[in-house]
Amino acid sequence: MKYGRTYNFSAGPAMMPEEVLEEIAAEMMNYRGSGMCVMEMSHRSKVFQQIRDEAEADLRTLMGIPDNYKVLFVQGGGTVQFAMVPMNLMKNGVACYVETGNWSKKAIKEAQKYGEVKIVASSADKNFSYIPDCSDLDIPDNADYVYICENETINGTTYFKLPDTKGKVLVSDQSSMFLSRPCDVSKYGLIWAGVQKNVGPAGMAVVIVREDLLRDDLPKFVPTYMSYKTHADNDSLYNTPNCWAIYCCGKVFKYLLKNGGLEAMNKRNEEKAAILYDFLDQSKFFTGAVRKEDRSLMNVPFVTPSKEQDADVVAASKAAGFDNLKGHKSVGGLRASIYNAMPKEGVEALVEFLKKYEAEHT
Ligand SMILES: *Cc1c(COP(=O)(O)O)cnc(C)c1O
């Protein structure tokens, strides 16, 4: 690759489109005649206001976000959303969660601080290797919302069909699949995504929330910053936002629009994932860790017959010029994260490497 860059299979922060990085580099010292870098700019300036407004407008176009939804840029990444969701949406103090892996478990643990959490489905029985049936969930009448992690980054599962929430608000953590495929926003009450997985730099989450869920009557303990309404009422400029992340994400939104939008991304992502899954399916050495119909197009966990061999493949992959193929410490094995910005050539090169390794070691 150009600049001596490497095929980086990190789960996040992760690769960004090369042409976006080039544009950012070109604008680094003097953003469009402003005399300064975006990092040095007042968040109240006209120049920055335009960057922010265009980022929101482009995201709205890209996802087809209906007018009755607000788009918020919130600091604190994904983990802060684990708390903001229950703080803002638990009115009756009851929420339903689907437990599908590490990230939904963290969300559950955080929500339990603020109310009663009912786990309405779980795939814990099989090491979170599948998405449980969510077609007939037992949802109490007083539930405030139903929460899913739509793509479990560590476990490598994804929903291809949304749960039947029986009319309750659906909340989704889309961090590791955001903008990877078309999304009908009107099916959700709230979507949030930490942007460092599939969009831009770390330190920010995008929140898309239906207006009627914004509340004036939050409990007093909720910090001003943690109220979605604070951000909605101030165009995400209540305090100094993560200007740099908004700028970089805005570039990626434009890049996606220019390259065919989310339909085109989905097609590319399906092709890329198929290259890797087809290889794993026929391999006698490497095995995919997830039930076929629930396999993520973004995060692909797989194993060899032993932990020692897993470690050896990771070491050999580094020597061959790949990076970050080690599985998350909680599950082991290997994992290739192949987000929007991973070129098809990167996945092809990885498969060539794995093929060769298998031929030489079996
Ligand atoms: C990474 C990740 C998070 C946590 O994001 P942070 O920004 O590190 O707090 C939450 N949910 C999912 C699905 C993730 O992949």
Side-chain angles (χ1 to χ4, degrees):
M1 288 214 301
K2 260 204 266 184
Y3 311 104
R5 286 164 57 78
T6 184
Y7 290 126
N8 173 10
F9 292 90
S10 169
M15 287 181 85
M16 287 175 59
E18 204 161 87
E19 80 178 64
V20 167
L21 294 178
E22 283 171 336
E23 256 182 55
I24 292 169
E27 291 174 349
M28 183 66 72
M29 301 313 291
N30 183 349
Y31 176 79
R32 302 192 183 175
S34 64
M36 55 189 89
C37 172
V38 176
M39 280 189 269
E40 302 170 303
M41 209 171 259
S42 164
H43 59 294
R44 307 278 173 212
S45 65
K46 273 213 177 76
V47 194
F48 183 75
Q49 185 74 45
Q50 191 182 350
I51 291 173
R52 196 221 76 90
D53 292 350
E54 275 184 32
E56 177 177 339
D58 288 337
L59 181 63
R60 284 184 176 278
T61 308
L62 201 50
M63 294 183 76
I65 300 174
D67 289 342
N68 62 327
Y69 285 74
K70 293 280 188 188
V71 172
L72 317 176
F73 300 116
V74 185
Q75 298 190 54
T79 299
V80 164
Q81 293 310 310
F82 294 153
M84 276 179 86
V85 166
M87 275 181 173
N88 283 269
L89 302 188
M90 271 189 179
K91 232 176 156 168
N92 300 327
V94 182
C96 297
Y97 278 67
V98 181
E99 184 190 48
T100 49
N102 290 48
W103 292 117
S104 43
K105 273 164 68 178
K106 285 202 165 161
I108 288 164
K109 203 162 162 228
E110 195 67 23
Q112 282 166 339
K113 293 186 180 177
Y114 304 102
E116 187 192 325
V117 170
K118 188 167 183 231
I119 297 175
V120 286
S122 171
S123 53
D125 60 335
K126 287 187 183 147
N127 215 6
F128 302 118
S129 60
Y130 71 104
I131 296 289
D133 179 8
C134 296
S135 59
D136 187 19
L137 300 172
D138 184 11
I139 299 167
D141 279 346
N142 62 346
D144 291 307
Y145 60 88
V146 177
Y147 181 105
I148 59 169
C149 175
E150 206 166 330
N151 186 84
E152 282 279 3
T153 322
I154 291 171
N155 309 83
T157 54
T158 208
Y159 287 77
F160 288 99
K161 186 169 180 283
L162 292 175
D164 179 355
T165 63
K166 315 244 167 107
K168 301 293 181 197
V169 167
L170 178 64
V171 176
S172 175
D173 171 2
Q174 288 196 349
S175 296
S176 49
M177 60 172 294
F178 193 55
L179 307 180
S180 68
R181 66 184 189 199
C183 170
D184 181 354
V185 176
S186 69
K187 293 204 167 111
Y188 303 78
L190 187 149
I191 295 167
W192 68 265
V195 297
Q196 79 273 27
K197 305 288 161 68
N198 203 20
V199 190
M204 189 174 85
V206 172
V207 177
I208 301 166
V209 56
R210 218 173 58 207
E211 271 168 358
D212 61 283
L213 297 173
L214 301 169
R215 286 168 61 194
D216 277 320
D217 62 339
L218 290 179
K220 278 211 169 55
F221 72 83
V222 176
T224 309
Y225 190 84
M226 304 285 274
S227 154
Y228 288 129
K229 193 155 188 301
T230 300
H231 298 275
D233 287 348
N234 293 281
D235 285 342
S236 304
L237 289 162
Y238 173 73
N239 70 332
T240 319
N242 187 336
C243 302
W244 182 250
I246 293 171
Y247 162 71
C248 296
C249 290
K251 292 262 182 226
V252 174
F253 302 155
K254 283 196 195 300
Y255 165 87
L256 295 174
L257 284 171
K258 201 174 90 185
N259 286 279
L262 302 187
E263 292 283 352
M265 276 306 124
N266 187 43
K267 195 162 165 284
R268 266 180 52 137
N269 289 328
E270 281 178 347
E271 277 169 21
K272 270 160 36 184
I275 295 169
L276 187 46
Y277 284 125
D278 287 350
F279 166 73
L280 294 174
D281 286 344
Q282 59 75 52
S283 171
K284 298 199 167 47
F285 184 73
F286 297 102
T287 317
V290 172
R291 183 168 76 175
K292 232 175 181 171
E293 57 267 42
D294 304 320
R295 296 196 292 206
S296 167
L297 301 186
M298 301 280 97
N299 311 99
V300 183
F302 55 102
V303 294
T304 72
S306 76
K307 281 199 168 96
E308 292 69 31
Q309 282 165 308
D310 288 346
D312 190 62
V313 179
V314 172
S317 73
K318 269 210 131 143
F322 303 99
D323 214 344
N324 289 312
L325 280 161
K326 194 168 173 219
H328 190 268
K329 58 183 186 303
S330 64
V331 295
L334 294 103
R335 172 179 52 170
S337 294
I338 49 174
Y339 297 119
N340 284 350
M342 170 61 69
K344 187 175 164 192
E345 294 73 33
V347 183
E348 286 168 344
L350 174 65
V351 166
E352 278 318 303
F353 163 79
L354 296 173
K355 251 186 209 161
K356 189 157 165 268
Y357 187 97
E358 179 170 351
E360 287 169 0
H361 292 81
T362 53

